[in-house]
Amino acid sequence: MKKKTILNICMVLTIVLIAVCGVMAVGSVKGWFGGSADSNVTVAEKTGIVMVERNGVAYELSQGAAIREGDRLYTKTAASLTLAKKDEGNVYLGANAELKVADAGKNFLLEVLKGEALIDARGMDSVTVVSGDTETIMNQAVATVSTQAGSSMIYVYTGEAAVKNESTSFDDTIAAGNVATIVSAGKCDLTSMNAASLSDAQMAQLKKCGIDETFCFTEEELNKIQAEREAEILKAQQEAIKQKEEAKKEEA
């Protein structure tokens, strides 16, 4: 009987030890024990489901969480994420996007693996953004870097960005108001940007940056375009309702 009791106690202690080790392992990955308290990058804002993959473990990211070097961030449908790099600048990630923080220190290095991210590099010492085999070095700039299947696009709203792609020999400095399109097949285009060509998500991110006189667009321009789009959507909805009502009358 006494021997059985000792065995039961040993079994309970083993289970407790396993549980503690599990908690320690998860806590170490998530930074519960101060391992990422000194991180330069944190989650300033998030909506919807945003995941992070760290050391091979994936879990949902929480508000205020510290970001480590090597973290891969994923936004789901209708989700968004804002990363703050101390008082230097912000990174805005749209829905269905994937971003890797390769270096979170002074030489800030980001890799846009999928979708698009807007980077506000004003105040940053150095920031390099990689999209496929395209490298963008931002100089006091605000720009969107987009990674799609076989292509990269860089929209520069203020400041300038040095864009380089070795496979296509594209090497140029993009000034505010221009967009560079680089296709892996070897095609490179540099064109003037039109505010109407921006998506609603891009406009919303731009407004969060605080648009000033150095930007190629004013906030009033963006507001006007968004109002026109909303009016078109409302008109289409009203037309659809009208057609349904007429169809019901004909059936009656």
Side-chain angles (χ1 to χ4, degrees):
M1 186 72 177
K2 190 174 182 180
K3 186 177 180 181
K4 187 177 180 181
T5 303
I6 293 172
L7 289 173
N8 288 337
I9 292 173
C10 291
M11 187 178 293
V12 171
L13 290 175
T14 301
I15 294 171
V16 171
L17 183 61
I18 293 172
V20 170
C21 289
V23 171
M24 292 291 288
V26 173
S28 177
V29 170
K30 292 192 174 186
W32 292 346
F33 311 118
S36 58
D38 59 345
S39 174
N40 290 326
V41 185
T42 56
V43 177
E45 182 182 347
K46 68 175 282 284
T47 60
I49 299 175
V50 181
M51 305 295 292
V52 58
E53 183 181 313
R54 178 180 295 168
N55 297 335
V57 179
Y59 58 92
E60 188 171 351
L61 203 58
S62 59
Q63 185 91 9
I67 302 300
R68 295 181 184 176
E69 292 180 4
D71 283 355
R72 295 167 72 103
L73 311 173
Y74 308 80
T75 55
K76 301 294 185 179
T77 303
S80 65
L81 174 68
T82 301
L83 301 178
K85 190 176 187 292
K86 287 192 174 179
D87 298 324
E88 297 176 356
N90 292 336
V91 177
Y92 304 91
L93 199 62
N96 298 313
E98 182 179 344
L99 177 76
K100 180 180 179 181
V101 181
D103 190 336
K106 186 176 181 180
N107 297 318
F108 200 27
L109 177 58
L110 303 170
E111 186 173 357
V112 182
L113 303 171
K114 176 186 174 185
E116 63 182 31
L118 185 145
I119 298 92
D120 184 353
R122 294 171 295 176
M124 291 187 186
D125 292 331
S126 174
V127 57
T128 301
V129 186
V130 176
S131 171
D133 57 357
T134 302
E135 182 180 85
T136 302
I137 300 175
M138 298 173 61
N139 181 18
Q140 296 298 306
V142 176
T144 292
V145 177
S146 174
T147 301
Q148 306 301 333
S151 67
S152 300
M153 296 183 73
I154 298 93
Y155 305 76
V156 183
Y157 310 110
T158 184
E160 60 182 25
V163 179
K164 185 176 183 179
N165 182 283
E166 294 183 358
S167 63
T168 59
S169 300
F170 183 88
D171 190 352
D172 203 351
T173 298
I174 314 302
N178 292 286
V179 55
T181 303
I182 302 173
V183 182
S184 57
K187 186 179 179 182
C188 306
D189 286 325
L190 182 60
T191 56
S192 296
M193 201 188 314
N194 188 335
S197 67
L198 300 179
S199 67
D200 291 335
Q202 287 174 325
M203 292 185 186
Q205 291 172 346
L206 268 174
K207 289 181 181 180
K208 289 183 179 180
C209 292
I211 299 174
D212 58 28
E213 67 280 358
T214 67
F215 280 66
C216 57
F217 305 123
T218 65
E219 189 165 344
E220 288 71 22
E221 286 180 89
L222 300 184
N223 288 336
K224 182 180 178 181
I225 292 169
Q226 287 181 313
E228 290 173 351
R229 289 178 181 177
E230 290 171 0
E232 289 176 0
I233 292 172
L234 180 60
K235 183 179 178 180
Q237 291 174 339
Q238 291 174 339
E239 184 65 27
I241 292 172
K242 182 180 178 181
Q243 290 177 355
K244 286 183 179 180
E245 291 176 347
E246 290 177 350
K248 287 182 180 179
K249 288 180 182 179
E250 290 178 1
E251 289 178 0

